[in-house]
Amino acid sequence: MLIFDEELNFDTALFQPLDYTKEEIVYFDIETTGFSPATSSVYLIGVVYHNGTQYMMRQWFADKKESEKEIIASFIEFIKN
């Protein structure tokens, strides 16, 4: 499993939905190799979040098929906060 972290610099007004602070929001996307759980796997999960100072992007990348469970578990642990 590989994890990439990057600071983002852009207009924060784009990411301020009503009734929530920017620290309460996480945008995420999950990439798979297809739609069938029998023949496909998750190979990338990406999130954008605000850490209290700025927006950050984190990506979990399955560098091999066996890493799928590891990136899902790591994402779930991250999203708990």
Side-chain angles (χ1 to χ4, degrees):
M1 172 180 73
L2 303 172
I3 297 176
F4 301 98
D5 288 310
E6 183 177 336
E7 297 176 359
L8 301 177
N9 297 307
F10 50 76
D11 181 8
T12 59
L14 297 173
F15 292 95
Q16 293 180 345
L18 300 175
D19 300 327
Y20 293 96
T21 67
K22 52 191 164 198
E23 292 84 8
E24 294 177 298
I25 304 294
V26 174
Y27 301 91
F28 69 94
D29 183 38
I30 298 172
E31 300 296 332
T32 68
T33 57
F35 294 113
S36 170
T39 59
S40 303
S41 62
V42 174
Y43 68 90
L44 178 75
I45 302 174
V47 299
V48 172
Y49 65 99
H50 198 277
N51 67 4
T53 306
Q54 66 188 61
Y55 283 97
M56 301 289 295
M57 178 179 63
R58 174 170 284 190
Q59 295 177 313
W60 293 266
F61 178 71
D63 54 342
K64 53 190 172 202
K65 186 173 174 84
E66 298 79 28
S67 297
E68 178 185 37
K69 289 181 182 178
E70 188 178 9
I71 68 168
I72 292 170
S74 185
F75 168 72
I76 290 169
E77 189 60 34
F78 173 86
I79 206 75
K80 285 180 182 179
N81 294 324

